[in-house]
Amino acid sequence: MGRWVEVGDRAWARRHDELDLTLGLVAGDRACVVVDTGADEAQGAAFAAAVRELTGLPWSVALTHAHFDHCFGTAAFGECVVWAHPGCRADLVATGERQRSAWVEHYREEGDPEAAGRLAAARIVLPDRAAGAVTELDLGGRVVRLAGPGPGHTGHDLVVHVPDSGVVFAGDLVEQGAPPAFDDAFPQAWPSALDRLLELAPRTVVPGHGEPVDAAFVARQRDELAEVARLCRAVAAGELTRAEALARSPYPEPFTSDALARPLAP
């Protein structure tokens, strides 16, 4: 089940208990844009139904990145435009089935065959519109901007900026309630991506997981990520041992270990 959190004028975050996931919706006078679609078609369909509780406007979809929990529900939104960073489509082609297999196995091992079955049945929908450095969507009476702030959580992160409300949907570039995930990340570039997000002067930032936050929260997370980047460089240069870096990190060992395993350059 999910619940709506109003984050601005005709802008909402949809919170879910499963994976602490947060999706989004922005409406104008003529159209609306859905931000991410959930982990499978059942979750996507529930989200689509919830959107229709708020607006009957025609929708498009904006995907923040290619991880399954943010985009495997897209088929539930039917025939519509799907926006993403140019690298998102390529990543879904390359990793979509691998993500499915890994997470189906995870859910089965966790004793959740229902979630495993939903994910196994999900159709992967590839984005059909590539967002540029900044792409403006006219929703009627307001403009929403899609922007790629550079590599961070992935190599193809996309944020959705609602200038007239001071809201930014950040995907997993920002995490609330858990440390940032580094599995596919570029730790050296991530702080700069958050610098670019902060240049938008947001009043509210909607993370991909967790509750909406303010710019001060993002600035603190940016500083933590900069420290992780520094530790990764120090280990690569032989200035610190891996054990010393793990001890000094602002994040728990499993997260820092993933960061240390990532390349220094995108």
Side-chain angles (χ1 to χ4, degrees):
M1 298 297 291
R3 60 180 172 86
W4 287 113
V5 178
E6 189 170 6
V7 293
D9 173 34
R10 293 172 293 168
W12 299 269
R14 184 72 175 176
R15 298 283 291 114
H16 294 82
D17 291 336
E18 186 174 351
L19 299 177
D20 203 20
L21 183 67
T22 306
L23 309 175
L25 171 66
V26 184
D29 296 333
R30 296 193 306 271
C32 65
V33 61
V34 171
V35 184
D36 290 339
T37 59
D40 55 59
E41 287 184 51
Q43 189 175 62
F47 182 35
V51 169
R52 285 296 177 239
E53 294 173 359
L54 297 181
T55 178
L57 292 170
W59 55 42
S60 58
V61 167
L63 300 177
T64 61
H65 61 295
H67 287 162
F68 85 99
D69 48 332
H70 295 266
C71 63
F72 275 29
T74 303
F77 288 83
E79 296 293 330
C80 69
V81 169
V82 181
W83 292 93
H85 184 285
C88 181
R89 181 186 178 99
D91 195 83
L92 267 177
V93 170
T95 72
E97 291 304 331
R98 185 162 71 246
Q99 291 186 61
R100 185 204 306 275
S101 296
W103 278 89
V104 165
E105 181 179 359
H106 167 82
Y107 282 126
R108 286 174 177 161
E109 289 177 351
E110 291 292 309
D112 193 347
E114 181 182 353
R118 295 197 310 266
L119 182 54
R123 293 167 289 170
I124 297 175
V125 175
L126 300 177
D128 57 3
R129 300 288 178 88
V134 178
T135 297
E136 293 192 345
L137 305 183
D138 184 355
L139 302 183
R142 75 188 321 180
V143 168
V144 168
R145 295 186 179 124
L146 312 181
H153 176 67
T154 69
H156 56 267
D157 295 300
L158 186 78
V159 302
V160 179
H161 180 208
V162 190
D164 63 13
S165 287
V167 175
V168 175
F169 293 86
D172 288 358
L173 279 170
V174 177
E175 294 271 6
Q176 187 276 331
F182 292 94
D183 311 63
D184 298 321
F186 296 91
Q188 300 305 310
W190 201 334
S192 294
L194 289 187
D195 286 338
R196 295 184 188 100
L197 188 158
L198 288 167
E199 287 171 1
L200 302 175
R203 289 192 294 273
T204 303
V205 176
V206 180
H209 301 267
E211 298 288 343
V213 299
D214 59 14
F217 178 97
V218 177
R220 290 192 298 272
Q221 193 159 94
R222 184 262 176 221
D223 291 344
E224 292 170 351
L225 287 162
E227 175 61 12
V228 170
R230 187 191 70 79
L231 293 172
C232 290
R233 291 194 299 273
V235 170
E239 299 166 357
L240 283 179
T241 67
R242 184 174 181 277
E244 288 171 332
L246 293 173
R248 297 182 188 186
S249 175
Y251 298 133
E253 181 174 332
F255 295 87
T256 307
S257 293
D258 286 342
L260 289 168
R262 295 297 296 161
L264 285 182

